[in-house]
Amino acid sequence: SQQGEEDPQALSIQEGENATMNCSYKTSINNLQWYRQNSGRGLVHLILIRSNEREKHSGRLRVTLDTSKKSSSLLITASRAADTASYFCATGDFGNEKLTFGTGTRLTIIP
Amino acid sequence: KAGVTQTPRYLIKTRGQQVTLSCSPISGHRSVSWYQQTPGQGLQFLFEYFSETQRNKGNFPGRFSGRQFSNSRSEMNVSTLELGDSALYLCASSLYSGMNEQFFGPGTRLTVL
C-alpha cells in the first residue's frame, strides 16, 4: 500500500521557474526522502530529512517537513530541462526497516 | 565504487513460467531491498535482505521469493508467472538499513505474455 500521496500528479513549468511538489503521509516516520526517476529507469536519491528536522537544503533543492500535518514539500529552484523526471517521496517508518513510496509527481520542464 | 547492477535488464516470459532476477549491491552494502513498479500500483516493497536473512517482507504472494548470498548479492524468483507480474523490478542497496538512503539499480523490465 502507498504511504505517501503526492500532489500534483503532474506539473509543467517553463525553464527557469521554480517547481514545488507536496507529499502527505499517514503514520509516524523516522525520516522522509525524495527520489528522482528518469523515464523507466532506476531511482536516484535526492535528499533525506529526519523527523526532528524542519528544513533541509541541497543545491537547488529545498525540502520542508511538517510532522504535525504529516506533510513535506520539495522545491526545485531555477528549473532546468534536465530536471524533467518523476519525483517520489518515501517514508522510513518506525518499526519497519523499509521505505514506503508515494505515488509520484511527473515534472516536465519546458525549454 | 561501482553502482548497483541488475541482470538481466529485459526479460520476456510466458504465463506459468518462472523467472530469476539478480542484483549486485554496492561493495560494502549489506542491505538489499526489492521493489515492484507498475503504472497501476506504483512502487511496492517486496522484501529486504540483510546478512543473508530476510528482514522484512511486503504484501506479495508466496510466488515471490528471494535470497541473499554471503557476498550480499541477491536474487529474487517469481514462480508461476501471471500477466499482472509484468513490471519493472528494482533492486536497491544500502549500508545497514532498508529505510535509509537507498541506491537503486537500473531495474529489470519483465514482460509476461
Side-chain angles (χ1 to χ4, degrees):
Chain A
S1 62
Q2 303 290 77
Q3 156 80 302
E5 295 291 331
E6 276 148 274
D7 169 53
Q9 290 188 339
L11 178 62
S12 291
I13 60 172
Q14 296 288 331
E15 192 168 18
E17 293 181 337
N18 296 341
T20 299
M21 288 158 267
N22 302 296
C23 168
S24 60
Y25 57 92
K26 297 173 185 173
T27 62
S28 294
I29 61 171
N30 176 281
N31 65 68
L32 186 143
Q33 302 174 41
W34 287 89
Y35 288 81
R36 183 186 74 230
Q37 184 180 36
N38 291 91
S39 187
R41 306 178 81 171
L43 281 73
V44 175
H45 182 266
L46 296 175
I47 198 163
L48 181 153
I49 186 166
R50 302 197 184 281
S51 60
N52 61 352
E53 297 176 310
R54 291 296 167 258
E55 188 171 312
K56 207 158 182 181
H57 297 254
S58 176
R60 295 184 295 114
L61 306 180
R62 173 179 168 251
V63 168
T64 61
L65 178 64
D66 187 336
T67 52
S68 67
K69 295 181 180 177
K70 291 186 167 58
S71 68
S72 173
S73 67
L74 170 67
L75 168 68
I76 303 174
T77 61
S79 64
R80 305 167 181 169
D83 295 329
T84 293
S86 292
Y87 291 81
F88 294 88
C89 68
T91 54
D93 308 329
F94 278 115
N96 292 312
E97 291 292 326
K98 67 171 187 174
L99 289 181
T100 306
F101 281 83
T103 51
T105 293
R106 175 69 191 166
L107 175 65
T108 302
I109 308 299
I110 303 165
Chain B
K1 281 184 181 177
V4 177
T5 58
Q6 292 187 246
T7 56
R9 293 292 312 278
Y10 302 91
L11 208 47
I12 299 175
K13 292 285 188 179
T14 56
R15 278 182 300 174
Q17 288 187 310
Q18 75 159 15
V19 66
T20 300
L21 312 181
S22 181
C23 171
S24 292
I26 290 173
S27 177
H29 285 192
R30 297 167 64 185
S31 168
V32 174
S33 299
W34 289 88
Y35 297 86
Q36 180 197 64
Q37 187 176 29
T38 60
Q41 298 297 315
L43 273 154
Q44 301 283 329
F45 172 78
L46 280 156
F47 27 65
E48 187 228 358
Y49 285 87
F50 182 85
S51 293
E52 302 178 66
T53 301
Q54 187 181 85
R55 189 160 60 176
N56 215 333
K57 190 177 189 305
N59 190 25
F60 278 82
R63 300 185 296 107
F64 292 81
S65 63
R67 60 178 175 168
Q68 186 180 33
F69 301 95
S70 58
N71 61 358
S72 292
R73 190 177 70 86
S74 178
E75 289 181 346
M76 68 163 281
N77 183 275
V78 188
S79 62
T80 319
L81 284 166
E82 300 177 359
L83 295 179
D85 297 332
S86 294
L88 181 66
Y89 289 88
L90 293 161
C91 164
S93 75
S94 67
L95 275 170
Y96 299 117
S97 170
M99 74 169 178
N100 288 339
E101 179 183 354
Q102 300 290 297
F103 294 82
F104 280 82
T108 293
R109 173 74 62 184
L110 172 65
T111 302
V112 182
L113 303 175

